[in-house]
Amino acid sequence: MLATPGLNLTEAAPLDAAERMGRDELASLQLARLRATLERAYERVPLYRARFDAAGLHPSDLGDLSDLGRFPFLAKADLRETYPFGLFAEPREKILRIHASSGTTGKPIVVGYTRHDLAIWAEVVARSLRLAGARPGELLHNAYGYGLFTGGLGIHAGAERLGLTVVPVSGGMTERQVQLITDFRPDHITVTPSYMLAILDEFARLGIDPRDCSLRVGIFGAEPWTNAMRREIEDAFRMDAVDIYGLTEVIGPGVSQESVETKDGLHVWEDHFYPEIVDPETGAVLPDGELGELVFTSLTKEAVPIIRYRTRDLTRLLPGTARPGMRRMEKVTGRSDDMIILRGVNVFPTQIEEALLGCAWCGGHFLVELTREGRLDEMTILAEARPDSWDPSAIDGHAERLTALIKGTIGITARVSVRPPGSLERSGGKARRVIDRRPRA
Ligand code: DLL
């Protein structure tokens, strides 16, 4: 349901041809593009040739789309091992832009874009922003980080392509974010949901009512977030909050986008990115509707073709709604690497976010700490209280009730440490949710 009746969604903003395609037409486009991608990768990238040869496969073995499941996966480690340019299918001179994702350990993952790749990226981001409710002539405050991270520049180019006025603020300097939002009166904001909460705090600190601000749609991504967080942000700002997904390895933001009208998961731009869901353990392809690991194959990328890239993100594929030809992916539950296994129970930070936001006193800033005491793993949730409900005498009661709620809903025993407002570190970009202090095995 729309939180902002002021959105003008009927105004002509013509869809790309692919957005109007039916499933059959899209599938034949995908097959032609997939064949070309496999051939190109085989001809130009030694790693793909070696892998296909080792599997006894040739690009010509692709008869239909389902044959893709016979081809080998590409893993994050493959991108690290070919650092920096080993997967490039074009000479360096044809590469107009480099981006990288830092990851937590080791070498970054490096990708490149030809002129054609940059044009496609801008096109899918423009589509995404339009599906989120943005229309030419409106103003966008872009608070994703500019630099090697794909968020800032990726959104920027797509917004210009759609015909928006872009304010390239980047992340951080929170007081200035609020000042620019107040003075420039943007219609839309693009930012991580966790940093949006930090901006919200700053509104409160400055004594400005966020419900009076001009923002009508927030386009949030780059990290997992829940429907509980959506409600939190929508209520606080009286705006609509929608999800945008993407990753450096595939292109950046704009791989899939949620519609502001349906808010029911993210339409994958399947004419450029072919999704599969696989069993994270066995790698077997799962049917639509089943939860598993998302795998992507690029269909049009020149510089760094990606074939069956294992994202580690967990979700399921569903039929299209707002764009009936394109399948949706459900909101990402989390990454398999972020999954906490506590005494045999699997927990995602998003489940904790959901529980926390169910408590009136907690505003959504939290951190999970894992420690080992004796032979047992312990989880402590550091949860920040909202400024308007901070009451040191209520802490014990809050913690006790939350521990019971988490036991009842998630099935784990967690300690809760209620922290004063503003005490947990803010990131300016992606939030770090888990600190693992357990000794390494
Ligand atoms: O985060 C690209 C991006 C920028 C997406 C701005 C959306 C907005 P990376 O830094 O390579 O790229 O991180 C990609 O972030 O594999 C997911 O685990 C996570 N992620 C991205 N979007 C979402 C989302 C950018 N909407 C990794 N929901 C991905 C959940 C997301 N997780």
Side-chain angles (χ1 to χ4, degrees):
M1 213 191 44
L2 281 182
T4 54
L7 278 182
N8 182 1
L9 295 169
T10 48
E11 171 104 336
L15 301 187
D16 292 350
E19 290 176 274
R20 293 182 310 235
M21 278 182 190
R23 262 332 273 173
D24 291 348
E25 195 184 350
L26 182 64
S28 59
L29 178 71
Q30 287 175 321
L31 184 59
R33 289 181 168 177
L34 184 55
R35 281 206 180 106
T37 297
L38 292 178
E39 274 160 23
R40 225 164 156 276
Y42 188 77
E43 291 306 322
R44 296 180 178 219
V45 183
L47 178 135
Y48 285 122
R49 177 180 285 255
R51 292 275 168 87
F52 292 8
D53 286 349
L57 284 164
H58 185 267
S60 59
D61 291 323
L62 186 92
D64 59 44
L65 286 170
S66 68
D67 289 331
L68 181 61
R70 296 163 58 200
F71 283 78
F73 289 118
L74 185 72
K76 200 176 267 290
D78 296 320
L79 281 113
R80 292 231 158 88
E81 279 154 25
T82 50
Y83 173 89
F85 305 142
L87 280 188
F88 284 26
E90 291 287 342
R92 220 266 311 124
E93 312 81 78
K94 289 276 171 62
I95 307 295
L96 266 57
R97 175 100 65 79
I98 299 282
H99 278 287
S101 90
S102 51
T104 40
T105 49
K107 287 177 180 160
I109 278 166
V110 179
V111 294
Y113 304 77
T114 61
R115 187 178 303 283
H116 180 256
D117 293 335
L118 288 174
I120 300 277
W121 191 14
E123 176 188 311
V124 291
V125 170
R127 264 188 217 177
S128 298
L129 298 172
R130 188 176 51 218
L131 189 60
R135 293 294 177 268
E138 295 177 337
L139 189 70
L140 174 82
H141 179 105
N142 185 17
Y144 285 120
Y146 281 65
L148 284 174
F149 174 56
T150 53
L153 286 162
I155 295 288
H156 188 108
E160 285 185 349
R161 157 114 195 197
L162 183 62
L164 302 176
T165 309
V166 196
V167 188
V169 194
S170 196
M173 300 178 67
T174 315
E175 184 169 352
R176 194 182 60 174
Q177 304 271 353
V178 175
Q179 186 194 344
L180 296 182
I181 292 169
T182 312
D183 295 346
F184 294 0
R185 301 193 55 73
D187 301 285
H188 310 290
I189 186 167
T190 41
V191 62
T192 60
S194 60
Y195 191 54
M196 191 66 184
L197 287 187
I199 294 177
L200 176 62
D201 295 343
E202 193 63 16
F203 269 87
R205 198 183 68 80
L206 296 170
I208 306 171
D209 185 350
R211 291 174 71 87
D212 290 340
C213 85
S214 58
L215 291 169
R216 291 181 295 147
V217 182
I219 304 162
F220 302 116
E223 61 187 9
W225 59 296
T226 58
N227 283 320
M229 180 73 92
R230 188 203 308 272
R231 285 190 293 276
E232 175 74 23
I233 294 174
E234 289 191 335
D235 288 349
F237 286 94
R238 204 170 1 193
M239 74 192 297
D240 287 292
V242 289
D243 202 352
I244 184 166
Y245 170 90
L247 62 167
T248 313
E249 296 86 327
V250 174
I251 205 156
V255 173
S256 63
Q257 172 67 48
E258 189 169 50
S259 157
V260 74
E261 289 174 275
T262 52
K263 293 185 190 161
D264 56 355
L266 305 93
H267 283 86
V268 180
W269 302 126
E270 278 198 71
D271 51 329
H272 296 293
F273 317 109
Y274 187 81
E276 296 170 280
I277 296 288
V278 304
D279 181 317
E281 305 289 324
T282 66
V285 179
L286 298 176
D288 285 3
E290 284 194 30
L291 182 67
E293 180 180 347
L294 185 59
V295 168
F296 273 111
T297 299
S298 64
L299 297 177
T300 49
K301 254 188 359 164
E302 289 181 344
V304 192
I306 286 290
I307 295 167
R308 304 202 82 209
Y309 180 68
R310 294 188 68 150
T311 65
R312 304 185 191 176
D313 293 324
L314 301 173
T315 183
R316 62 183 100 231
L317 289 174
L318 303 165
T321 52
R323 295 287 180 274
M326 307 264 181
R327 280 175 290 178
R328 280 169 303 145
M329 52 186 260
E330 199 175 67
K331 230 169 170 355
V332 172
T333 317
R335 298 169 63 81
S336 50
D337 350 8
D338 286 347
M339 188 177 80
I340 303 162
I341 305 178
L342 191 79
R343 303 186 199 170
V345 182
N346 299 348
V347 193
F348 286 99
T350 45
Q351 290 172 280
I352 294 172
E353 179 178 294
E354 194 109 40
L356 285 171
L357 286 170
C359 304
W361 57 269
C362 182
H365 294 291
F366 72 97
L367 189 63
V368 177
E369 253 180 19
L370 301 172
T371 49
R372 180 159 303 153
E373 280 155 40
R375 277 195 282 152
L376 284 186
D377 287 344
E378 299 284 346
M379 178 192 284
T380 308
I381 300 169
L382 315 182
E384 219 183 89
R386 293 178 195 277
D388 51 7
S389 54
W390 173 238
D391 171 7
S393 69
I395 286 179
D396 291 346
H398 287 336
E400 233 167 76
R401 278 188 295 276
L402 187 54
T403 297
L405 177 75
I406 288 174
K407 180 82 192 159
T409 52
I410 310 175
I412 52 162
T413 304
R415 284 190 204 133
V416 175
S417 168
V418 180
R419 296 297 166 104
S423 58
L424 296 182
E425 200 189 324
R426 311 290 194 256
S427 80
K430 295 177 192 257
R432 184 167 172 213
R433 292 300 192 200
V434 181
I435 297 187
D436 196 344
R437 300 191 195 283
R438 293 174 294 187
R440 283 179 188 239

